[in-house]
């Protein structure tokens, strides 16, 4: 799994070895800026959020490292 970052929005993308997108993740405010989330509850603007395919589950994490580890486990 590889992680790419969009420098304009700060949104990270996790892709598999074939280039298929597995998940988007980033700070909730950045995901809002990139139009990936419609709404974030007050107080959670700085939490790290992952949105993973194929059912687009949304999961909150305390840090980028926690999000990466979560994706490594879930996207095997």
């Amino acid at each position: 799994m590889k992680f790419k970052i969009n420098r304009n929005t700060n949104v990270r993308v996790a892709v598999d070895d074939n280039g298929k997108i597995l998940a988007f993740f980033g700070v909730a405010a950045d995901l809002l800026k990139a139009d990936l989330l419609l709404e974030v509850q007050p107080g959670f603007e700085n939490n790290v959020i992952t949105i993973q395919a194929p059912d687009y589950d949304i999961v909150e994490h305390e840090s980028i490292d926690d999000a990466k580890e979560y994706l490594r486990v879930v996207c095997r």
Side-chain angles (χ1 to χ4, degrees), residues 2-37:
K2 296 177 185 176
F3 298 93
K4 298 179 181 181
I5 185 169
N6 180 319
R7 297 286 177 199
N8 294 325
T9 62
N10 295 319
V11 172
R12 284 99 172 142
V13 178
V15 296
D16 67 11
D17 292 335
N18 297 320
K20 179 181 174 188
I21 295 175
L22 301 173
F24 294 98
F25 67 104
V27 176
D30 291 338
L31 290 169
L32 281 169
K33 184 169 61 175
D35 292 329
L36 293 173
L37 293 176

Side-chain angles (χ1 to χ4, degrees), residues 32-52:
L32 281 169
K33 184 169 61 175
D35 292 329
L36 293 173
L37 293 176
L38 298 176
E39 179 178 321
V40 174
Q41 295 177 358
F44 291 95
E45 295 90 349
N46 294 318
N47 284 28
V48 177
I49 309 278
T50 60
I51 306 169
Q52 69 248 26

